[in-house]
Amino acid sequence: MNNIFLGFIAISFIVAVGAFIVVMTELRAALRSLKEFLKTTEGSLKPALDEMQHTLRSMRNVTDNVTTVTDDIKTLSGSIRDVGENVKRVSELIEDVTSSTVIKVSGLRAGLKAAIEVLLNNLITAKGRQ
């Protein structure tokens, strides 16, 4: 019975060793395939990564340019606002000068009218006395 049991153990051991050898052979082939896959993937990823870095640099340049243009537009709009305020001030000054001139001309006209009336009245009364 011991011999049968030892035979059974020996056969099991031989089968286990055979299975282990088959598994190791398959594992070795899988590792070779994995190495080949990694080599081809690395070869195809390097140009793609280089292109992506170039694209990112280009995008950074574009965003920097957009920032510069935005700053220029802000400066331009500030200048336009300042020009608008200056035009408004000039318009107010012209309006003040115009109304002041109208008042002065009106006063001058009233003064001249009164002076002419007084002059004519004095001339008329002076003729009437002579």
Side-chain angles (χ1 to χ4, degrees):
M1 177 113 150
N2 270 342
N3 285 339
I4 295 175
F5 186 63
L6 284 176
F8 185 66
I9 291 176
I11 290 173
S12 297
F13 182 72
I14 290 172
V15 170
V17 167
F20 181 72
I21 290 173
V22 170
V23 168
M24 291 306 275
T25 305
E26 290 295 322
L27 185 61
R28 186 174 181 201
L31 285 174
R32 263 193 221 127
S33 295
L34 181 62
K35 283 182 183 178
E36 287 297 318
F37 174 74
L38 290 175
K39 282 181 185 177
T40 56
T41 303
E42 182 181 357
S44 64
L45 280 180
K46 279 187 179 181
L49 289 174
D50 290 340
E51 185 67 27
M52 189 185 315
Q53 286 178 348
H54 178 69
T55 302
L56 288 174
R57 277 189 227 111
S58 296
M59 286 178 64
R60 188 176 307 134
N61 288 339
V62 167
T63 56
D64 290 344
N65 290 339
V66 166
T67 302
T68 303
V69 168
T70 303
D71 291 341
D72 290 345
I73 289 173
K74 285 179 184 176
T75 303
L76 177 66
S77 68
S79 297
I80 290 172
R81 186 179 330 110
D82 291 343
V83 167
E85 289 175 5
N86 288 339
V87 166
K88 182 180 176 184
R89 284 190 207 128
V90 167
S91 174
E92 289 171 354
L93 286 174
I94 289 173
E95 186 178 320
D96 290 344
V97 167
T98 302
S99 65
S100 173
T101 305
V102 166
I103 291 171
K104 287 179 183 176
V105 167
S106 182
L108 182 63
R109 192 174 78 194
L112 283 174
K113 184 178 176 183
I116 290 173
E117 286 176 7
V118 168
L119 183 65
L120 287 177
N121 283 337
N122 284 339
L123 283 175
I124 291 174
T125 56
K127 268 191 174 183
R129 285 191 209 156
Q130 289 180 345

mmCIF file with all atom_site columns, all heavy atoms in Angstrom, residues 95-114:
data_model
loop_
_atom_site.group_PDB
_atom_site.id
_atom_site.type_symbol
_atom_site.label_atom_id
_atom_site.label_alt_id
_atom_site.label_comp_id
_atom_site.label_asym_id
_atom_site.label_entity_id
_atom_site.label_seq_id
_atom_site.pdbx_PDB_ins_code
_atom_site.Cartn_x
_atom_site.Cartn_y
_atom_site.Cartn_z
_atom_site.occupancy
_atom_site.B_iso_or_equiv
_atom_site.pdbx_formal_charge
_atom_site.auth_seq_id
_atom_site.auth_comp_id
_atom_site.auth_asym_id
_atom_site.auth_atom_id
_atom_site.pdbx_PDB_model_num
ATOM 1   N N   . GLU A 1 95  ? -20.892 124.759 -24.222 1.00 0.00 ? 95  GLU A N   1
ATOM 2   C CA  . GLU A 1 95  ? -22.251 125.149 -23.841 1.00 0.00 ? 95  GLU A CA  1
ATOM 3   C C   . GLU A 1 95  ? -22.220 126.305 -22.845 1.00 0.00 ? 95  GLU A C   1
ATOM 4   O O   . GLU A 1 95  ? -22.990 127.267 -22.977 1.00 0.00 ? 95  GLU A O   1
ATOM 5   C CB  . GLU A 1 95  ? -22.971 123.944 -23.229 1.00 0.00 ? 95  GLU A CB  1
ATOM 6   C CG  . GLU A 1 95  ? -24.434 124.186 -22.922 1.00 0.00 ? 95  GLU A CG  1
ATOM 7   C CD  . GLU A 1 95  ? -25.080 122.929 -22.365 1.00 0.00 ? 95  GLU A CD  1
ATOM 8   O OE1 . GLU A 1 95  ? -24.775 121.836 -22.872 1.00 0.00 ? 95  GLU A OE1 1
ATOM 9   O OE2 . GLU A 1 95  ? -25.881 123.064 -21.426 1.00 0.00 ? 95  GLU A OE2 1
ATOM 10  N N   . ASP A 1 96  ? -21.300 126.234 -21.867 1.00 0.00 ? 96  ASP A N   1
ATOM 11  C CA  . ASP A 1 96  ? -21.169 127.322 -20.898 1.00 0.00 ? 96  ASP A CA  1
ATOM 12  C C   . ASP A 1 96  ? -20.745 128.616 -21.588 1.00 0.00 ? 96  ASP A C   1
ATOM 13  O O   . ASP A 1 96  ? -21.288 129.690 -21.314 1.00 0.00 ? 96  ASP A O   1
ATOM 14  C CB  . ASP A 1 96  ? -20.160 126.966 -19.808 1.00 0.00 ? 96  ASP A CB  1
ATOM 15  C CG  . ASP A 1 96  ? -20.665 125.873 -18.879 1.00 0.00 ? 96  ASP A CG  1
ATOM 16  O OD1 . ASP A 1 96  ? -21.890 125.613 -18.885 1.00 0.00 ? 96  ASP A OD1 1
ATOM 17  O OD2 . ASP A 1 96  ? -19.832 125.289 -18.160 1.00 0.00 ? 96  ASP A OD2 1
ATOM 18  N N   . VAL A 1 97  ? -19.765 128.522 -22.479 1.00 0.00 ? 97  VAL A N   1
ATOM 19  C CA  . VAL A 1 97  ? -19.289 129.705 -23.194 1.00 0.00 ? 97  VAL A CA  1
ATOM 20  C C   . VAL A 1 97  ? -20.410 130.271 -24.064 1.00 0.00 ? 97  VAL A C   1
ATOM 21  O O   . VAL A 1 97  ? -20.619 131.488 -24.121 1.00 0.00 ? 97  VAL A O   1
ATOM 22  C CB  . VAL A 1 97  ? -18.036 129.365 -24.042 1.00 0.00 ? 97  VAL A CB  1
ATOM 23  C CG1 . VAL A 1 97  ? -17.726 130.466 -25.023 1.00 0.00 ? 97  VAL A CG1 1
ATOM 24  C CG2 . VAL A 1 97  ? -16.853 129.108 -23.129 1.00 0.00 ? 97  VAL A CG2 1
ATOM 25  N N   . THR A 1 98  ? -21.157 129.395 -24.733 1.00 0.00 ? 98  THR A N   1
ATOM 26  C CA  . THR A 1 98  ? -22.246 129.843 -25.595 1.00 0.00 ? 98  THR A CA  1
ATOM 27  C C   . THR A 1 98  ? -23.316 130.554 -24.783 1.00 0.00 ? 98  THR A C   1
ATOM 28  O O   . THR A 1 98  ? -23.764 131.649 -25.161 1.00 0.00 ? 98  THR A O   1
ATOM 29  C CB  . THR A 1 98  ? -22.867 128.637 -26.332 1.00 0.00 ? 98  THR A CB  1
ATOM 30  O OG1 . THR A 1 98  ? -21.853 127.985 -27.072 1.00 0.00 ? 98  THR A OG1 1
ATOM 31  C CG2 . THR A 1 98  ? -23.970 129.077 -27.272 1.00 0.00 ? 98  THR A CG2 1
ATOM 32  N N   . SER A 1 99  ? -23.739 129.939 -23.672 1.00 0.00 ? 99  SER A N   1
ATOM 33  C CA  . SER A 1 99  ? -24.784 130.581 -22.867 1.00 0.00 ? 99  SER A CA  1
ATOM 34  C C   . SER A 1 99  ? -24.262 131.884 -22.262 1.00 0.00 ? 99  SER A C   1
ATOM 35  O O   . SER A 1 99  ? -24.989 132.885 -22.189 1.00 0.00 ? 99  SER A O   1
ATOM 36  C CB  . SER A 1 99  ? -25.283 129.635 -21.779 1.00 0.00 ? 99  SER A CB  1
ATOM 37  O OG  . SER A 1 99  ? -24.267 129.342 -20.855 1.00 0.00 ? 99  SER A OG  1
ATOM 38  N N   . SER A 1 100 ? -22.985 131.891 -21.862 1.00 0.00 ? 100 SER A N   1
ATOM 39  C CA  . SER A 1 100 ? -22.393 133.119 -21.317 1.00 0.00 ? 100 SER A CA  1
ATOM 40  C C   . SER A 1 100 ? -22.342 134.195 -22.393 1.00 0.00 ? 100 SER A C   1
ATOM 41  O O   . SER A 1 100 ? -22.639 135.368 -22.146 1.00 0.00 ? 100 SER A O   1
ATOM 42  C CB  . SER A 1 100 ? -20.994 132.825 -20.794 1.00 0.00 ? 100 SER A CB  1
ATOM 43  O OG  . SER A 1 100 ? -20.343 134.002 -20.421 1.00 0.00 ? 100 SER A OG  1
ATOM 44  N N   . THR A 1 101 ? -21.994 133.828 -23.617 1.00 0.00 ? 101 THR A N   1
ATOM 45  C CA  . THR A 1 101 ? -21.929 134.776 -24.724 1.00 0.00 ? 101 THR A CA  1
ATOM 46  C C   . THR A 1 101 ? -23.316 135.309 -25.056 1.00 0.00 ? 101 THR A C   1
ATOM 47  O O   . THR A 1 101 ? -23.494 136.510 -25.305 1.00 0.00 ? 101 THR A O   1
ATOM 48  C CB  . THR A 1 101 ? -21.304 134.105 -25.961 1.00 0.00 ? 101 THR A CB  1
ATOM 49  O OG1 . THR A 1 101 ? -20.035 133.573 -25.604 1.00 0.00 ? 101 THR A OG1 1
ATOM 50  C CG2 . THR A 1 101 ? -21.142 135.084 -27.095 1.00 0.00 ? 101 THR A CG2 1
ATOM 51  N N   . VAL A 1 102 ? -24.301 134.423 -25.046 1.00 0.00 ? 102 VAL A N   1
ATOM 52  C CA  . VAL A 1 102 ? -25.677 134.852 -25.333 1.00 0.00 ? 102 VAL A CA  1
ATOM 53  C C   . VAL A 1 102 ? -26.129 135.852 -24.279 1.00 0.00 ? 102 VAL A C   1
ATOM 54  O O   . VAL A 1 102 ? -26.743 136.876 -24.600 1.00 0.00 ? 102 VAL A O   1
ATOM 55  C CB  . VAL A 1 102 ? -26.626 133.627 -25.398 1.00 0.00 ? 102 VAL A CB  1
ATOM 56  C CG1 . VAL A 1 102 ? -28.086 134.067 -25.355 1.00 0.00 ? 102 VAL A CG1 1
ATOM 57  C CG2 . VAL A 1 102 ? -26.356 132.818 -26.660 1.00 0.00 ? 102 VAL A CG2 1
ATOM 58  N N   . ILE A 1 103 ? -25.813 135.569 -23.018 1.00 0.00 ? 103 ILE A N   1
ATOM 59  C CA  . ILE A 1 103 ? -26.192 136.486 -21.940 1.00 0.00 ? 103 ILE A CA  1
ATOM 60  C C   . ILE A 1 103 ? -25.493 137.831 -22.120 1.00 0.00 ? 103 ILE A C   1
ATOM 61  O O   . ILE A 1 103 ? -26.105 138.900 -21.997 1.00 0.00 ? 103 ILE A O   1
ATOM 62  C CB  . ILE A 1 103 ? -25.875 135.866 -20.567 1.00 0.00 ? 103 ILE A CB  1
ATOM 63  C CG1 . ILE A 1 103 ? -26.806 134.688 -20.292 1.00 0.00 ? 103 ILE A CG1 1
ATOM 64  C CG2 . ILE A 1 103 ? -25.990 136.901 -19.462 1.00 0.00 ? 103 ILE A CG2 1
ATOM 65  C CD1 . ILE A 1 103 ? -26.428 133.876 -19.074 1.00 0.00 ? 103 ILE A CD1 1
ATOM 66  N N   . LYS A 1 104 ? -24.203 137.788 -22.451 1.00 0.00 ? 104 LYS A N   1
ATOM 67  C CA  . LYS A 1 104 ? -23.449 139.035 -22.630 1.00 0.00 ? 104 LYS A CA  1
ATOM 68  C C   . LYS A 1 104 ? -23.980 139.820 -23.828 1.00 0.00 ? 104 LYS A C   1
ATOM 69  O O   . LYS A 1 104 ? -24.138 141.039 -23.771 1.00 0.00 ? 104 LYS A O   1
ATOM 70  C CB  . LYS A 1 104 ? -21.961 138.735 -22.799 1.00 0.00 ? 104 LYS A CB  1
ATOM 71  C CG  . LYS A 1 104 ? -21.295 138.310 -21.511 1.00 0.00 ? 104 LYS A CG  1
ATOM 72  C CD  . LYS A 1 104 ? -19.826 138.009 -21.739 1.00 0.00 ? 104 LYS A CD  1
ATOM 73  C CE  . LYS A 1 104 ? -19.180 137.520 -20.454 1.00 0.00 ? 104 LYS A CE  1
ATOM 74  N NZ  . LYS A 1 104 ? -17.796 137.138 -20.647 1.00 0.00 ? 104 LYS A NZ  1
ATOM 75  N N   . VAL A 1 105 ? -24.258 139.131 -24.939 1.00 0.00 ? 105 VAL A N   1
ATOM 76  C CA  . VAL A 1 105 ? -24.779 139.804 -26.132 1.00 0.00 ? 105 VAL A CA  1
ATOM 77  C C   . VAL A 1 105 ? -26.153 140.384 -25.821 1.00 0.00 ? 105 VAL A C   1
ATOM 78  O O   . VAL A 1 105 ? -26.473 141.511 -26.205 1.00 0.00 ? 105 VAL A O   1
ATOM 79  C CB  . VAL A 1 105 ? -24.826 138.824 -27.333 1.00 0.00 ? 105 VAL A CB  1
ATOM 80  C CG1 . VAL A 1 105 ? -25.655 139.395 -28.469 1.00 0.00 ? 105 VAL A CG1 1
ATOM 81  C CG2 . VAL A 1 105 ? -23.422 138.510 -27.798 1.00 0.00 ? 105 VAL A CG2 1
ATOM 82  N N   . SER A 1 106 ? -26.959 139.620 -25.103 1.00 0.00 ? 106 SER A N   1
ATOM 83  C CA  . SER A 1 106 ? -28.288 140.099 -24.734 1.00 0.00 ? 106 SER A CA  1
ATOM 84  C C   . SER A 1 106 ? -28.185 141.336 -23.849 1.00 0.00 ? 106 SER A C   1
ATOM 85  O O   . SER A 1 106 ? -28.910 142.317 -24.030 1.00 0.00 ? 106 SER A O   1
ATOM 86  C CB  . SER A 1 106 ? -29.041 138.980 -24.019 1.00 0.00 ? 106 SER A CB  1
ATOM 87  O OG  . SER A 1 106 ? -30.327 139.361 -23.670 1.00 0.00 ? 106 SER A OG  1
ATOM 88  N N   . GLY A 1 107 ? -27.266 141.283 -22.884 1.00 0.00 ? 107 GLY A N   1
ATOM 89  C CA  . GLY A 1 107 ? -27.038 142.446 -22.010 1.00 0.00 ? 107 GLY A CA  1
ATOM 90  C C   . GLY A 1 107 ? -26.510 143.626 -22.787 1.00 0.00 ? 107 GLY A C   1
ATOM 91  O O   . GLY A 1 107 ? -26.921 144.781 -22.572 1.00 0.00 ? 107 GLY A O   1
ATOM 92  N N   . LEU A 1 108 ? -25.593 143.358 -23.706 1.00 0.00 ? 108 LEU A N   1
ATOM 93  C CA  . LEU A 1 108 ? -25.028 144.423 -24.527 1.00 0.00 ? 108 LEU A CA  1
ATOM 94  C C   . LEU A 1 108 ? -26.113 145.042 -25.406 1.00 0.00 ? 108 LEU A C   1
ATOM 95  O O   . LEU A 1 108 ? -26.193 146.273 -25.550 1.00 0.00 ? 108 LEU A O   1
ATOM 96  C CB  . LEU A 1 108 ? -23.882 143.872 -25.387 1.00 0.00 ? 108 LEU A CB  1
ATOM 97  C CG  . LEU A 1 108 ? -23.150 144.862 -26.265 1.00 0.00 ? 108 LEU A CG  1
ATOM 98  C CD1 . LEU A 1 108 ? -22.449 145.914 -25.406 1.00 0.00 ? 108 LEU A CD1 1
ATOM 99  C CD2 . LEU A 1 108 ? -22.151 144.150 -27.150 1.00 0.00 ? 108 LEU A CD2 1
ATOM 100 N N   . ARG A 1 109 ? -26.968 144.211 -25.983 1.00 0.00 ? 109 ARG A N   1
ATOM 101 C CA  . ARG A 1 109 ? -28.055 144.705 -26.811 1.00 0.00 ? 109 ARG A CA  1
ATOM 102 C C   . ARG A 1 109 ? -29.023 145.573 -26.000 1.00 0.00 ? 109 ARG A C   1
ATOM 103 O O   . ARG A 1 109 ? -29.432 146.650 -26.436 1.00 0.00 ? 109 ARG A O   1
ATOM 104 C CB  . ARG A 1 109 ? -28.809 143.523 -27.429 1.00 0.00 ? 109 ARG A CB  1
ATOM 105 C CG  . ARG A 1 109 ? -29.759 143.967 -28.528 1.00 0.00 ? 109 ARG A CG  1
ATOM 106 C CD  . ARG A 1 109 ? -30.389 142.806 -29.236 1.00 0.00 ? 109 ARG A CD  1
ATOM 107 N NE  . ARG A 1 109 ? -31.453 142.305 -28.363 1.00 0.00 ? 109 ARG A NE  1
ATOM 108 C CZ  . ARG A 1 109 ? -32.056 141.140 -28.507 1.00 0.00 ? 109 ARG A CZ  1
ATOM 109 N NH1 . ARG A 1 109 ? -31.654 140.321 -29.448 1.00 0.00 ? 109 ARG A NH1 1
ATOM 110 N NH2 . ARG A 1 109 ? -33.020 140.777 -27.711 1.00 0.00 ? 109 ARG A NH2 1
ATOM 111 N N   . ALA A 1 110 ? -29.339 145.075 -24.789 1.00 0.00 ? 110 ALA A N   1
ATOM 112 C CA  . ALA A 1 110 ? -30.239 145.859 -23.933 1.00 0.00 ? 110 ALA A CA  1
ATOM 113 C C   . ALA A 1 110 ? -29.578 147.177 -23.547 1.00 0.00 ? 110 ALA A C   1
ATOM 114 O O   . ALA A 1 110 ? -30.231 148.242 -23.523 1.00 0.00 ? 110 ALA A O   1
ATOM 115 C CB  . ALA A 1 110 ? -30.607 145.057 -22.688 1.00 0.00 ? 110 ALA A CB  1
ATOM 116 N N   . GLY A 1 111 ? -28.280 147.142 -23.275 1.00 0.00 ? 111 GLY A N   1
ATOM 117 C CA  . GLY A 1 111 ? -27.554 148.369 -22.926 1.00 0.00 ? 111 GLY A CA  1
ATOM 118 C C   . GLY A 1 111 ? -27.508 149.337 -24.081 1.00 0.00 ? 111 GLY A C   1
ATOM 119 O O   . GLY A 1 111 ? -27.703 150.554 -23.920 1.00 0.00 ? 111 GLY A O   1
ATOM 120 N N   . LEU A 1 112 ? -27.234 148.818 -25.296 1.00 0.00 ? 112 LEU A N   1
ATOM 121 C CA  . LEU A 1 112 ? -27.202 149.680 -26.475 1.00 0.00 ? 112 LEU A CA  1
ATOM 122 C C   . LEU A 1 112 ? -28.576 150.268 -26.761 1.00 0.00 ? 112 LEU A C   1
ATOM 123 O O   . LEU A 1 112 ? -28.701 151.455 -27.104 1.00 0.00 ? 112 LEU A O   1
ATOM 124 C CB  . LEU A 1 112 ? -26.708 148.898 -27.695 1.00 0.00 ? 112 LEU A CB  1
ATOM 125 C CG  . LEU A 1 112 ? -25.202 148.644 -27.761 1.00 0.00 ? 112 LEU A CG  1
ATOM 126 C CD1 . LEU A 1 112 ? -24.864 147.728 -28.937 1.00 0.00 ? 112 LEU A CD1 1
ATOM 127 C CD2 . LEU A 1 112 ? -24.437 149.940 -27.856 1.00 0.00 ? 112 LEU A CD2 1
ATOM 128 N N   . LYS A 1 113 ? -29.598 149.466 -26.599 1.00 0.00 ? 113 LYS A N   1
ATOM 129 C CA  . LYS A 1 113 ? -30.957 149.945 -26.827 1.00 0.00 ? 113 LYS A CA  1
ATOM 130 C C   . LYS A 1 113 ? -31.296 151.071 -25.849 1.00 0.00 ? 113 LYS A C   1
ATOM 131 O O   . LYS A 1 113 ? -31.836 152.117 -26.245 1.00 0.00 ? 113 LYS A O   1
ATOM 132 C CB  . LYS A 1 113 ? -31.946 148.790 -26.667 1.00 0.00 ? 113 LYS A CB  1
ATOM 133 C CG  . LYS A 1 113 ? -33.374 149.158 -26.973 1.00 0.00 ? 113 LYS A CG  1
ATOM 134 C CD  . LYS A 1 113 ? -34.264 147.923 -26.834 1.00 0.00 ? 113 LYS A CD  1
ATOM 135 C CE  . LYS A 1 113 ? -35.712 148.302 -27.045 1.00 0.00 ? 113 LYS A CE  1
ATOM 136 N NZ  . LYS A 1 113 ? -36.606 147.184 -26.849 1.00 0.00 ? 113 LYS A NZ  1
ATOM 137 N N   . ALA A 1 114 ? -30.937 150.819 -24.566 1.00 0.00 ? 114 ALA A N   1
ATOM 138 C CA  . ALA A 1 114 ? -31.211 151.857 -23.559 1.00 0.00 ? 114 ALA A CA  1
ATOM 139 C C   . ALA A 1 114 ? -30.399 153.111 -23.852 1.00 0.00 ? 114 ALA A C   1
ATOM 140 O O   . ALA A 1 114 ? -30.907 154.242 -23.732 1.00 0.00 ? 114 ALA A O   1
ATOM 141 C CB  . ALA A 1 114 ? -30.891 151.326 -22.166 1.00 0.00 ? 114 ALA A CB  1
#
